[in-house]
């Protein structure tokens, strides 16, 4: 018995917690980011960028390479000389075996490593910006579904209030029908309207359920019908659209092209380095000595591509044109976003003005409905008259709710266009 009571208590607590559960838009967006593993993606990009920069910085470090070779050939140099008593012609062996450690050190190459480091860093910045673009798309999608649920749920609440009002009025009319002072058709009309509203409620409930299931899939969390979604309170600023990840991505690509142009210039600069090798050879540098010998050598290397038939110049010209193309893309996108921002700002101002009128309209509609309701009870108005005014009152309430929700959506959309 105690076990059954305990289970009932736990079930009641779980039900109360379920009813009290509240979820915000920020939470849904965070869950969607986690569900799409954006953080893992960003971390991988960050680690890869660090390693790429580290590797680029090692370009000018000394290189030590172990080089071992063993060869055999069918003939070699021979020296013919007349026979001299006590003297034999030197012979070169047919096989050469060498084990050397080669050393290379760059002295000057036009700061190639520094340019390579910047280019590698920017390439990973571009990947990070692309992730931001994907996150912005997810955020817009979550925002749209989230606010649609709030809008549909508000519509459901208004329909339920209409039914409650009709049921109260139907009870009053039933008493009037029983007393013979009200036509039965008026009561039947209200009952038919009740069924019609129940149908509308069923449609809206299934729509809300579908939207909640969609939001649950995207966020990886169950957003059931008992979860209350809070309407976000959003303020806007006039900071422009420069924070949009698409624009930052284009800027990053343009900067990377500039570095590629610098690398093209560097390729024409002279290369200066030192090199050397040390090890053992059979034979060594003295090929006539057929014993294992030490081998050591150091040197200076200069490499300068004096003329490349304008290849680097043409490459820089192509890069310059590509930069102009990206500039055109940047300006077009920025202009489009600024145009959307202006349109959204006007939408916000319009909704703010509409909301100031909604409360007054609702109060007037309530007075009209109450007047017709009183006349219906006294038999001087029909149920159709009452339903018409009740519907107009519901429309006014729904308009106010829609305007409030749309204002929040418009402000959120304004921030999304800005890239926030």
């Amino acid at each position: 018995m105690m076990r059954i009571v305990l289970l009932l208590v736990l079930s009641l607590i779980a039900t109360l917690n379920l009813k009290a559960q509240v979820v915000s838009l920020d939470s849904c967006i965070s869950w969607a980011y986690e569900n799409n593993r954006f953080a893992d993606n960003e971390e991988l990009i960050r680690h890869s960028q660090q390693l790429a920069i580290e590797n680029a910085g090692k370009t000018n470090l000394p290189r030590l390479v172990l080089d071992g070779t063993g060869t055999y050939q069918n003939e070699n140099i021979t020296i013919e000389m007349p026979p001299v008593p006590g003297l034999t012609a030197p012979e070169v062996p047919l096989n050469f075996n060498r084990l050397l450690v080669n050393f290379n050190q760059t002295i000057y190459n036009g700061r190639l490593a520094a340019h390579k480091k910047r280019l590698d860093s920017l390439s990973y910045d571009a990947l990070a910006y692309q992730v931001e673009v994907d996150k912005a798309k997810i955020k817009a999608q979550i925002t749209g579904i989230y606010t649609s649920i709030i809008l549909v749920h508000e519509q459901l609440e208004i329909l339920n209030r209409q039914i409650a009002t009709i049921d109260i009025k139907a009870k009053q009319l039933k008493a009037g029908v029983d007393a013979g002072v009200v036509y039965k058709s008026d009561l039947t009309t209200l009952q038919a309207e009740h069924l019609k509203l129940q149908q509308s409620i069923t449609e809206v409930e299934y729509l809300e359920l579908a939207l909640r299931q969609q939001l649950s899939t995207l966020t990886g969390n169950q957003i059931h019908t008992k979860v209350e979604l809070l309407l976000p309170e959003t303020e806007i600023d006039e900071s422009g659209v420069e924070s949009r990840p698409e624009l930052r991505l284009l800027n990053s690509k343009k900067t990377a092209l500039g570095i590629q142009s610098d690398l093209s210039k560097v390729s024409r600069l002279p290369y200066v380095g030192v090199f050397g090798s040390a090890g053992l050879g059979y034979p060594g540098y003295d090929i006539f000595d057929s014993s294992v010998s030490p081998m050591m050598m150091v040197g200076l290397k200069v490499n300068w591509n004096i003329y490349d038939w304008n290849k680097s110049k043409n490459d820089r010209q192509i890069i310059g044109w590509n930069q102009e193309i990206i500039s055109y893309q940047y300006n077009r996108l920025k202009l489009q976003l600024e145009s959307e921002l202006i349109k959204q700002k006007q939408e916000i101002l319009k909704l703010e003005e509409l909301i100031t009128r909604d409360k007054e309209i609702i109060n007037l509609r309530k007075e009209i409905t109450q007047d017709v309701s009183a006349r219906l009870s006294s038999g001087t108005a029909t149920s159709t008259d009452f339903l018409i005014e009740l519907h107009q009152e519901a429309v006014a309430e729904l308009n106010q709710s829609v305007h409030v929700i749309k204002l929040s959506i418009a402000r959120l959309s304004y921030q999304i266009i800005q890239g926030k």
Side-chain angles (χ1 to χ4, degrees), residues 95-142:
N95 62 311
F96 286 78
N97 302 285
R98 292 175 178 178
L99 183 63
L100 302 173
V101 176
N102 295 324
F103 166 81
N104 289 276
Q105 171 64 62
T106 300
I107 298 176
Y108 176 77
N109 63 355
R111 300 184 70 248
L112 180 64
H115 289 88
K116 183 70 166 56
K117 187 183 295 185
R118 288 182 60 202
L119 187 61
D120 287 345
S121 179
L122 282 171
S123 66
Y124 284 100
D125 283 345
L127 291 177
Y129 288 140
Q130 185 59 56
V131 173
E132 291 297 322
V133 171
D134 295 337
K135 288 174 70 175
K137 291 178 181 177
I138 290 292
K139 181 178 180 180
Q141 186 177 11
I142 294 296

Side-chain angles (χ1 to χ4, degrees), residues 134-299:
D134 295 337
K135 288 174 70 175
K137 291 178 181 177
I138 290 292
K139 181 178 180 180
Q141 186 177 11
I142 294 296
T143 301
I145 297 173
Y146 184 97
T147 51
S148 295
I149 292 173
I150 294 177
L151 190 60
V152 169
H153 188 76
E154 184 63 27
Q155 183 180 357
L156 187 62
E157 291 292 323
I158 292 174
L159 289 172
N160 282 322
R161 288 202 296 270
Q162 281 186 276
I163 281 187
T165 302
I166 287 175
D167 289 344
I168 293 172
K169 199 63 190 176
K171 289 179 181 179
Q172 296 175 356
L173 290 185
K174 188 175 186 307
V177 171
D178 293 341
V181 296
V182 176
Y183 290 111
K184 187 177 180 180
S185 60
D186 289 332
L187 177 61
T188 305
T189 301
L190 290 182
Q191 292 171 340
E193 184 65 19
H194 176 97
L195 294 175
K196 184 179 177 181
L197 288 174
Q198 283 288 2
Q199 285 183 323
S200 298
I201 287 174
T202 300
E203 292 177 354
V204 174
E205 285 177 340
Y206 274 98
L207 176 57
E208 182 182 0
L209 181 61
L211 290 170
R212 286 180 179 269
Q213 289 175 346
Q214 189 177 1
L215 188 61
S216 298
T217 301
L218 290 173
T219 60
N221 285 267
Q222 287 299 319
I223 314 295
H224 41 73
T225 54
K226 297 297 182 181
V227 175
E228 180 185 358
L229 303 185
L230 296 177
L231 186 65
E233 296 180 2
T234 309
E235 297 296 331
I236 63 172
D237 57 58
E238 308 292 337
S239 58
V241 297
E242 284 75 14
S243 297
R244 283 284 294 216
E246 297 92 337
L247 294 177
R248 289 186 289 162
L249 176 59
L250 289 173
N251 271 332
S252 178
K253 289 182 177 179
K254 186 176 179 180
T255 304
L257 286 174
I259 296 175
Q260 288 181 5
S261 180
D262 293 338
L263 283 172
S264 179
K265 294 178 182 178
V266 168
S267 66
R268 293 296 316 281
L269 296 176
Y271 167 87
V272 181
V274 294
F275 64 92
S277 61
L280 298 173
Y282 173 77
Y285 291 121
D286 184 0
I287 61 175
F288 297 110
D289 183 357
S290 60
S291 62
V292 176
S293 303
M295 301 180 67
M296 294 183 64
M297 179 180 61
V298 293

Side-chain angles (χ1 to χ4, degrees), residues 63-82:
R63 295 182 59 198
L64 293 175
V65 179
L66 181 64
D67 184 12
T69 59
T71 63
Y72 179 83
Q73 55 201 52
N74 65 326
E75 62 178 357
N76 215 327
I77 300 173
T78 57
I79 299 176
E80 296 184 0
M81 56 181 298

